[in-house]
Amino acid sequence: MAKASEVKVGNILRYNGELVTVTEVMHRTPGKGGAFYLDKFRNIKTGKIVEARLATDEQVEICRVETSDYQYLYDDGDFMVIMNNETFDQHNISKTLLGPSVRFLTEGMNIIVSFESEEPIMAQMPNNVELEITYSEPAVKGDTSSGALKTATAENGVEIKVPLFINQGDKIKVDTRTGDYIERVK
């Protein structure tokens, strides 16, 4: 347990029985009454923002979170099997931890996973991945309006909007957070 005055941005706390990450800490000293902290927390599971008013000596529980690199091995229904790159321990974690970026996951890819007392609480993919285009419509000559995009299918089955000059067999870089095309890879 720690005092509210020891809480810093980025800490992970157990607040009202839920795991939250601290996004903002403001110290207030009103003219009348004692000083207090106005903190903003983001619930790790739901993403909901919660504001809390804590007295300076109020006790809060700072959670011990271990973050490591893991390698994605294979798909197991609603779960994925990952392996710690240092200890070679394998874990089954839910695909929902990665959110919408899970569609860009390929075997052998390294991801960052955070555990709090043997329970996976967060997972993060690399910001961008390289994928090979397995299918794309050929560009029509003269169809070169600026910024024109067409739909292409990547090696993992995901459809991505790409510029007209991208053809089948090309490798492209894709932003995993937004699903947008970044550039063609040589």
Side-chain angles (χ1 to χ4, degrees):
M1 298 294 269
K3 292 183 179 180
S5 59
E6 298 169 0
V7 172
K8 306 277 186 261
V9 172
N11 285 144
I12 295 179
L13 311 175
R14 190 169 299 282
Y15 183 74
N16 291 341
E18 297 280 330
L19 284 176
V20 295
T21 182
V22 180
T23 58
E24 190 176 326
V25 177
M26 291 188 300
H27 185 254
R28 297 283 180 227
T29 52
K32 188 175 185 181
F36 60 91
Y37 285 90
L38 268 178
D39 295 350
K40 283 188 181 177
F41 306 138
R42 185 178 51 80
N43 188 310
I44 288 177
K45 290 190 176 165
T46 64
K48 184 178 174 186
I49 300 291
V50 178
E51 289 189 4
R53 181 179 171 152
L54 304 172
T56 54
D57 58 348
E58 190 171 335
Q59 296 290 314
V60 293
E61 182 182 350
I62 297 178
C63 297
R64 184 167 172 247
V65 176
E66 294 182 23
T67 302
S68 294
D69 286 335
Y70 288 82
Q71 182 180 23
Y72 169 66
L73 297 177
Y74 59 89
D75 189 35
D76 188 19
D78 289 338
F79 295 90
M80 54 188 172
V81 178
I82 58 171
M83 176 182 68
N84 187 314
N85 288 339
E86 296 165 6
T87 63
F88 305 111
D89 292 336
Q90 293 185 9
H91 302 277
N92 282 7
I93 66 169
S94 174
K95 289 181 182 177
T96 58
L97 289 177
L98 284 174
S101 63
V102 73
R103 63 192 173 142
F104 297 109
L105 197 60
T106 56
E107 289 184 10
M109 181 181 284
N110 285 328
I111 60 174
I112 298 170
V113 181
S114 300
F115 284 87
E116 191 265 326
S117 66
E118 300 299 321
E119 179 188 346
I121 57 170
M122 288 187 290
Q124 180 182 351
M125 286 190 54
N127 289 341
N128 50 53
V129 294
E130 292 180 5
L131 299 171
E132 185 175 340
I133 299 298
T134 55
Y135 176 77
S136 94
E137 293 287 334
V140 178
K141 188 171 184 173
D143 190 10
T144 57
S145 64
S146 104
L149 299 174
K150 65 180 180 180
T151 302
T153 306
E155 61 188 280
N156 57 359
V158 176
E159 289 191 346
I160 303 164
K161 294 284 189 188
V162 297
L164 296 176
F165 60 84
I166 299 294
N167 297 314
Q168 186 170 333
D170 288 349
K171 279 191 160 290
I172 61 168
K173 190 179 281 189
V174 178
D175 188 332
T176 59
R177 298 164 293 187
T178 61
D180 294 338
Y181 164 86
I182 299 174
E183 65 184 0
R184 181 166 44 177
V185 179
K186 300 286 185 212

